[in-house]
Amino acid sequence: LNGRFDRFAPPPGTANQPDLRSVRCFTQSSDGAVWIGTTAGVARWTAAGGLEAVPMPPGIVTPDTLALLEDRQQRMLMGTRDGLVVHEAGSSRIFDLGDLAEPTIISLESANDGTVWAATMRGVARIAGDRVLGGNPMPIERERLVYRLFRTPDAIWVSAGARGLFRCASGDCMPVDLDRSQPGDVVRSVAGDRHGNLWVGMHIAGLVRLKAPVARSYPVPGLASQSIVPVIGDGDGGLWIGATCGGLMHWKDGRYTTYTVKDGLPHDCIWALERGADGALWIGTAGEGVARLHDGQFTSYRAGNDGLADNSVFSIHRDRAGTLWLGTTDGLSRFAGGRFTNYTAAQGLPRA
């Protein structure tokens, strides 16, 4: 990686059109292709063919894609605001969830037994092949939705909004006592570490460590808002933590180190974190591009001369080849071989 960006400009007349902008999610399939979910549908990138839009089946009017997952049959499952779409053998179809049919698919996750869990605004559906398994392990009351599903080696974890966190195993979901002191607090992110701990980023209370059978909070000193969004491991027993607008924190052995704009961070509002193949930390910000932290030094990349697609970076994904994919509010950036390549509708990114 040598820091080069390439810019692919959109076609004439589309430079400021918002219909092809926001990249929501990424996944990499077993054949090495990278799949990109956007507000306007799904695109697929391969080294040989570049970027191409994935056609949606009739009936998908709002292709805004919130989740992507390859199942054990090597089918790509796409969670949209108009339902669950299955893509296989070059074509796409709508998957009928039966009694749990609900337009918006919020999150997808694969369990250890090969079943797929799909979070909807009516609860959680479990899918085995082309069948929806009976029962609803996680029914959701009106206006109480599932924010996200997370997988660890022994369970599926469900962030169920104000209802808290649930651990699901063998088809049953049990609430987890997080000792939440703030009414209405919600789980925003979950990450496991090599010691078997589960680290939970809360919207209000900050960082919580779940180590059976107890949960312990780790408030961040000096942080007015304890809203934690991205949490990832540092590869050495510690954690990198992004605060909504409180900077970047590193936690290890019970101690925090905080980085803000005063330390070289381009923006204190952190939306995404990912580790590069070389161990460097990549930080997506809300309006000041992406930063790379390596050996204690920040290097910032922005739109314009640096070549980043846009300065608001919602998501970052590293594929198996070490390539970084950055989802922004103005297109998709790919970082490989030290250079950024940007994709818009001209290169096959879906448009509304």
Side-chain angles (χ1 to χ4, degrees):
L1 307 182
N2 56 28
R4 284 185 58 189
F5 286 79
D6 277 349
R7 173 82 178 175
F8 283 78
T14 66
N16 297 310
Q17 298 301 313
D19 56 2
L20 50 89
R21 297 303 194 230
S22 296
V23 175
R24 292 192 179 276
C25 53
F26 298 94
T27 195
Q28 188 172 24
S29 53
S30 54
D31 62 0
V34 175
W35 297 69
I36 304 106
T38 79
T39 53
V42 176
R44 180 176 179 269
W45 182 93
T46 62
L51 194 71
E52 61 180 0
V54 177
M56 287 287 177
I60 300 296
V61 178
T62 307
D64 187 1
T65 302
L66 305 177
L68 294 167
L69 177 73
E70 185 184 44
D71 67 10
R72 289 193 179 179
Q73 297 169 264
Q74 297 184 339
R75 306 179 302 179
M76 184 56 61
L77 307 183
M78 303 179 285
T80 78
R81 291 196 183 275
D82 269 354
L84 180 63
V85 175
V86 177
H87 183 86
E88 59 181 330
S91 63
S92 300
R93 59 183 172 88
I94 297 175
F95 189 98
D96 184 6
L97 290 176
D99 293 340
L100 278 173
E102 150 63 37
T104 300
I105 305 297
I106 302 167
S107 184
L108 295 166
E109 191 55 87
S110 178
N112 291 333
D113 62 2
T115 59
V116 171
W117 291 53
T120 81
M121 296 184 74
R122 292 185 181 178
V124 176
R126 291 180 300 138
I127 301 165
D130 283 322
R131 295 185 303 114
V132 177
L133 301 181
N136 180 358
M138 192 71 227
I140 306 300
E141 295 94 345
R142 180 179 293 275
E143 298 180 357
R144 297 288 185 89
L145 54 83
V146 170
Y147 277 86
R148 195 176 171 188
L149 303 172
F150 308 90
R151 176 184 175 182
T152 56
D154 62 342
I156 296 289
W157 300 80
V158 182
S159 165
R163 294 180 64 194
L165 183 68
F166 288 73
R167 181 183 182 275
C168 303
S170 301
D172 295 319
C173 296
M174 300 296 294
V176 177
D177 183 9
L178 292 176
D179 189 25
R180 295 182 297 163
S181 59
Q182 300 289 337
D185 204 356
V186 299
V187 176
R188 301 295 297 272
S189 58
V190 175
D193 66 19
R194 63 186 180 184
H195 303 296
N197 297 309
L198 196 72
W199 295 91
V200 183
M202 306 294 293
H203 180 61
I204 300 174
L207 187 66
V208 174
R209 183 182 71 172
L210 179 62
K211 186 174 184 178
V214 298
R216 177 182 175 185
S217 297
Y218 290 83
V220 182
L223 189 62
S225 170
Q226 296 285 322
S227 180
I228 302 298
V229 181
V231 178
I232 65 169
D234 67 357
D236 191 34
L239 293 170
W240 287 107
I241 304 153
T244 300
C245 278
L248 174 71
M249 280 79 68
H250 183 252
W251 183 95
K252 190 173 183 182
D253 299 328
R255 300 182 62 182
Y256 281 104
T257 302
T258 301
Y259 302 88
T260 68
V261 292
K262 297 178 181 179
D263 305 295
L265 189 67
H267 201 295
D268 284 340
C269 296
I270 308 299
W271 282 350
L273 296 173
E274 181 62 281
R275 289 172 56 212
D278 60 353
L281 181 70
W282 290 78
I283 306 139
T285 75
E288 289 295 338
V290 65
R292 178 178 180 268
L293 177 61
H294 188 62
D295 292 335
Q297 299 294 317
F298 288 98
T299 303
S300 297
Y301 302 93
R302 296 178 175 85
N305 291 337
D306 293 330
L308 188 63
D310 186 74
N311 284 330
S312 293
V313 179
F314 283 103
S315 54
I316 308 174
H317 171 77
R318 189 185 84 192
D319 68 20
R320 290 189 292 273
T323 299
L324 290 171
W325 297 84
L326 297 88
T328 81
T329 54
D330 196 10
L332 172 70
S333 291
R334 174 179 178 266
F335 187 80
R339 55 190 293 176
F340 277 78
T341 302
N342 295 331
Y343 299 91
T344 64
Q347 291 77 39
L349 200 65
R351 60 157 53 190

